[in-house]
Amino acid sequence: MTSHAQIDPIVQFGAEGLPVVSLYVGVEPDGSLKNEGEVRTRLNSLLDPVRSMDKDHSLDREARLSIRGDVERLARAYTEERWPAGMMALFSCSARNFFEEVSLPRSIRDRVVVDSTPWVRPMLAVLDEYHRMCVVITDDAIAQVWDLYLRELREVWQSRDPALRKPDYAYGRAEYGVRNKSGELAKRHYRRVVEVLTDRFRDGGFDVLAVGGHQHEVASFIEYLPRELRERVAGTFTVDANTATAGDVRRAAESVMEQYEQQEERGLVAGIAEAVAERRRAAFGLDTCLWAGTVSAIETLAVEEGVEQPGVVCDRDGWMSLAGEACALCGEPVRATTDVIDELVESVMDDGGSVRHIRFDTELRDHAVGARLRFPLPEKPAA
Ligand SMILES: [Zn+2]
């Protein structure tokens, strides 16, 4: 389970002068023995350069001992549990008794970094693509609050007030009083649910909200939401709060999420298209986007899901291009890569930009990549 509670301590960790080893290693979807062996081999070869730091006498003794402990801890991590497919991000500073592992849903490049702080940028860039949805299901007496994140659904709060009864059985003079009381109780109940949601929202517990229940109750509940929460409503759905199962909640919530993401992806691509047409800071197509990535100009990169393209990269200065023998910036020979889009994605993440993979049919199909830019591009040198 990946959550803010898990991420925050990593982002905020202070090693107080000691090195932190951050390691990212991909885990194939197929959990066969062959793959397991392969993950172990890659993990070990990633750790090799870190092992040799143990003998680096420019580091003080405490740092070297800590790194030695990190290597042992990281190598052992794989044997302790079965890693889910995707990417494992591991962070270790053994002298400070710090070790964290996070499973990421999307593969990025294997790598290891030793620095004074955890190397969290790739992890945050991957997680940034996924919304965290709070799902609230309520009628005037019951409420269930669920959390949907990285396809995992978890119930986080529920309230069932037995004192509340529908006024249907009452009639005559008594009816007015019961209805009135029931209305008051419903109001109090909704306010309490809103309080729970507001607290969760302010703690960073979610960024989008889905509301389920009977149609008229959903409508009246939304009236109770303060603006900061109402703006987060991604969708609503009809369900009976009394009888809804976890399976019902999942189906409804995933469908709201899917529609929301589709809208968001279309919006991003449409925004790029509009900006390109108006010659504002945006670009379509690999040729321009590779140059934009080279000069760290990309704020948000939109990548057509599943597209790959061979190209070349200069490892000295990060120049990327579809073709060429020598780097256009420094003249050194370039490295050929089977997928230059992947190089672009990594470089955008390293520069603190965000990356969105576009799954739905948009104009991006014709361009493979598009980008919103931080600044107008300098002229591209001839390759
Ligand atoms: Zn170069």
Side-chain angles (χ1 to χ4, degrees):
M1 185 64 208
T2 308
S3 66
H4 284 260
Q6 192 186 357
I7 303 301
D8 287 352
I10 303 173
V11 175
Q12 289 153 12
F13 177 69
E16 289 157 43
L18 284 169
V20 182
V21 182
S22 308
L23 184 140
Y24 292 77
V25 62
V27 185
E28 279 68 28
D30 182 327
S32 71
L33 280 176
K34 179 178 159 282
N35 278 334
E36 280 190 19
E38 207 240 338
V39 175
R40 189 171 308 155
T41 309
R42 275 188 292 124
L43 180 64
N44 269 315
S45 58
L46 276 166
L47 285 173
D48 277 342
V50 188
R51 268 187 201 104
S52 62
M53 288 178 77
D54 187 3
K55 292 167 204 78
D56 180 351
H57 286 269
S58 65
L59 292 167
D60 66 32
R61 189 179 135 76
E62 201 189 2
R64 276 184 282 124
L65 284 177
S66 182
I67 287 176
R68 191 182 300 169
D70 295 332
V71 170
E72 279 166 20
R73 186 69 189 83
L74 290 163
R76 200 171 70 229
Y78 183 71
T79 62
E80 284 173 349
E81 60 175 318
R82 201 181 191 91
W83 285 344
M87 200 80 202
M88 285 303 290
L90 306 136
F91 307 92
S92 176
C93 177
S94 67
R96 296 272 179 259
N97 210 11
F98 172 78
F99 179 81
E100 294 289 339
E101 47 184 0
V102 179
S103 166
L104 301 174
R106 178 184 286 284
S107 286
I108 47 174
R109 187 185 303 164
D110 285 356
R111 66 167 118 191
V112 66
V113 172
V114 181
D115 203 352
S116 54
T117 53
W119 178 240
V120 293
R121 204 173 259 183
M123 172 177 76
L124 296 182
V126 169
L127 293 177
D128 189 41
E129 273 206 70
Y130 297 84
H131 287 290
R132 183 172 200 119
M133 183 181 273
C134 176
V135 186
V136 57
I137 295 166
T138 186
D139 62 15
D140 56 13
I142 297 170
Q144 307 175 13
V145 177
W146 300 73
D147 182 69
L148 178 67
Y149 186 50
L150 306 175
R151 315 271 167 243
E152 230 173 296
L153 181 76
R154 198 164 56 99
E155 186 167 27
V156 289
W157 188 78
Q158 64 159 299
S159 142
R160 189 177 291 265
D161 190 342
L164 276 172
R165 287 286 175 267
K166 302 244 174 197
D168 304 358
Y169 59 87
Y171 52 88
R173 260 188 73 83
E175 187 182 40
Y176 176 78
V178 174
R179 267 221 179 115
N180 219 15
K181 179 143 198 290
S182 153
E184 275 306 310
L185 287 173
K187 217 184 272 180
R188 208 182 301 158
H189 165 70
Y190 283 151
R191 288 207 182 108
R192 191 157 155 247
V193 179
V194 167
E195 241 169 68
V196 170
L197 295 184
T198 306
D199 285 350
R200 284 190 68 74
F201 179 68
R202 296 205 171 137
D203 288 346
F206 65 91
D207 63 338
V208 288
L209 185 61
V211 185
H214 293 296
Q215 227 163 11
H216 64 282
E217 280 157 343
V218 166
S220 48
F221 176 70
I222 287 177
E223 304 258 305
Y224 282 89
L225 292 175
R227 202 170 82 187
E228 60 174 341
L229 290 186
R230 212 177 299 174
E231 284 169 349
R232 299 290 164 163
V233 175
T236 62
F237 55 94
T238 305
V239 75
D240 180 44
N242 249 311
T243 57
T245 65
D248 298 334
V249 178
R250 171 179 288 280
R251 264 188 303 280
E254 281 183 343
S255 145
V256 170
M257 182 81 99
E258 179 87 356
Q259 279 172 39
Y260 182 77
E261 285 175 347
Q262 180 168 355
Q263 224 174 32
E264 195 178 52
E265 290 182 14
R266 289 187 192 285
L268 172 62
V269 175
I272 294 173
E274 196 183 300
V276 168
E278 291 171 3
R279 297 175 181 282
R280 283 186 283 122
R281 294 169 190 181
F284 265 140
L286 257 178
D287 204 42
T288 314
C289 288
L290 287 176
W291 173 237
T294 300
V295 296
S296 305
I298 298 181
E299 189 179 78
T300 305
L301 178 72
V303 185
E304 185 75 14
E305 177 84 11
V307 174
E308 287 182 20
Q309 179 73 47
V312 295
V313 189
C314 170
D315 285 325
R316 265 183 70 174
D317 47 39
W319 182 73
M320 292 171 281
S321 182
L322 285 169
E325 305 271 299
C327 171
L329 297 178
C330 70
E332 292 290 310
V334 291
R335 164 171 64 83
T337 167
T338 52
D339 186 15
V340 76
I341 297 177
D342 182 49
E343 303 276 345
L344 176 61
V345 165
E346 300 279 339
S347 125
V348 170
M349 286 180 176
D350 285 355
D351 290 334
S354 62
V355 177
R356 291 282 178 277
H357 288 81
I358 307 296
R359 296 171 299 147
F360 299 96
D361 189 14
T362 67
E363 200 178 324
L364 200 66
R365 289 267 145 100
D366 304 332
H367 306 286
V369 294
R372 282 205 301 243
L373 305 177
R374 299 182 215 264
F375 49 84
L377 293 180
E379 202 171 323
K380 193 176 149 189

